[in-house]
Amino acid sequence: MSQAVCLFPILYGRRSCAPIPDPRYTDALSILPVANMNTPRIGFVSLGCPKASSDAEQILTRLRAEGYLIAPTYSDADLVVVNTCGFIDAAVTESLDAIGEALAENGKVIVTGCLGARENVVLAAHPQVLAVTGPHAADAVMAAIHQHLPPEHDPFASLVPPQGIRLTPDHFAYLKISEGCNHRCTFCIIPSLRGLLVSRPVGDVLEEARKLAEAGVKELLIISQDTSAYGVDLKYRTGFWGGKPVKTRLQELCAALATLGVWVRLHYVYPYPAVDDLIPLMAAGKILPYLDVPFQHANPRILTAMKRPAAAENMLARIRRWREICPEIVIRSTFITGFPGETEAEFQELLDFLKAAQLDRVGAFAYSPVDGATANSLPDLPPEAEREDRRRRLMALQEDISAEKLAGKIGKEITVLVDAVDDEGTMARSAGDAPEVDGMVYVDDFFDAEPGDFLRVRIVDADAHDLYAEPCEAA
């Protein structure tokens, strides 16, 4: 399968961008017994965000529980499942290309994921696919697989580990706490793809987390479409875990996760006022001092047009309070440039916000019309070249901010989590670095480590994105 869309893509590369072997595929296969030639084999291609990966993990776990094997290539597979993304036009194109590749290389393809919610788009491009399902649809995917490739039951091949099948390395895992979203951001079609917010029972979430920790996971990345809304749909009702009551609310969930002795990292946190209650947990060392908050913009008119909350001055005041309570907090955010109607003055207001906020990690996207998004009907969309130019200007400013903030860490001792070791040394992440989206901590010429180890290191250098360190005992 194409490395760009394979279920097990290259995860880590050093500064030269030369990839190193990804442990995820071999780790996933290590639990598979020797099977006979008649055992059905499924190829799996997964695109999109960690929420899509979480859906894929659920399907893979069920496949393994029923005795299916996971094939590493198209030619080894009896059938291929393509888990798609459909959030923006570029993702739609990539997903359609991946479906086409699977059809050309294998011929038997089942489509699932966000683009699957737009069945007409998939079938217009590829009418020969066997079935199309939407996101978070493991039951429908399994039904389609059963129809076209019935399982061959084998009591030995049907065994799976308690934590299920995962796509991540052994030492970190994504923990999805809810599905769907109640918001109606005008640039987004997630509610139409994944539905309204449905929170998982708190006991189920905590039990999954416990099994992951017992399996050796050192870091849990909490994900959903709207993490801070967890429990709203259930009216924050009280559940039970380990015989004790736990409220179905993010603050109580985080406090319970803190008892597992692993890193807990929060992603996709909508800036509700209740987020302020999480900062003391970070200051107390119970969860990582890391907050992924997608602000999207700073100008009040643009935020209103986006149907996003918060005025810039209010957010700046909250950020100041967060840092007063927890000086170590790392704040990541994302922004959209060139939203319909955005003027140069309004974009400059966004740049001024970044200068004042001094965020640690930032991603930016030039606005891209998404089929079905209400923002498409808004007037005065800036030209594509201008949207992209504003994105470049924003990222250039943030690069300067990031370089200055990281330089301030030189000489400090920090704890890092090892992700990989290659022939140049150790690659790790700090508490302020989420996998795949943030920076790395490189410990060159140090090989006495394994993925999942915690190391104490001293920072000796930095650039705009990464830190460079030496082991404290070697200093």
Side-chain angles (χ1 to χ4, degrees), residues 199-202 231-240 246-249:
S199 299
R200 293 180 60 195
V202 68
V232 168
D233 56 313
L234 301 177
K235 296 182 171 56
Y236 305 120
R237 71 184 179 208
T238 298
F240 290 87
V246 183
K247 203 168 187 178
T248 309
R249 190 168 59 183

Side-chain angles (χ1 to χ4, degrees), residues 35-72:
N36 65 56
M37 294 301 293
N38 295 322
T39 302
R41 291 166 165 81
I42 303 292
F44 208 110
V45 176
S46 191
L47 305 173
C49 65
K51 278 92 71 179
S53 295
S54 180
D55 289 349
E57 289 172 342
Q58 293 179 36
I59 297 169
L60 285 166
T61 296
R62 292 179 62 171
L63 286 170
R64 287 297 303 122
E66 294 187 12
Y68 291 93
L69 297 184
I70 310 304

Side-chain angles (χ1 to χ4, degrees), residues 128-189:
Q128 64 271 52
V129 298
L130 300 177
V132 180
T133 78
H136 199 55
D139 289 343
V141 173
M142 294 304 298
I145 291 172
H146 291 159
Q147 178 183 351
H148 297 283
L149 187 65
E152 178 189 70
H153 181 72
D154 182 331
F156 297 102
S158 298
L159 297 176
V160 296
Q163 74 273 17
I165 304 298
R166 304 203 329 272
L167 307 185
T168 53
D170 288 344
H171 62 284
F172 72 79
Y174 293 103
L175 182 64
K176 186 191 284 189
I177 63 173
S178 66
E179 186 62 63
C181 182
N182 289 343
H183 294 287
R184 290 294 183 268
C185 301
T186 58
F187 54 81
C188 180
I189 58 172

Side-chain angles (χ1 to χ4, degrees), residues 189-210:
I189 58 172
I190 288 296
S192 65
L193 296 178
R194 290 184 170 263
L196 296 176
L197 176 73
V198 179
S199 299
R200 293 180 60 195
V202 68
D204 290 356
V205 174
L206 289 168
E207 186 60 16
E208 180 182 351
R210 182 191 65 79

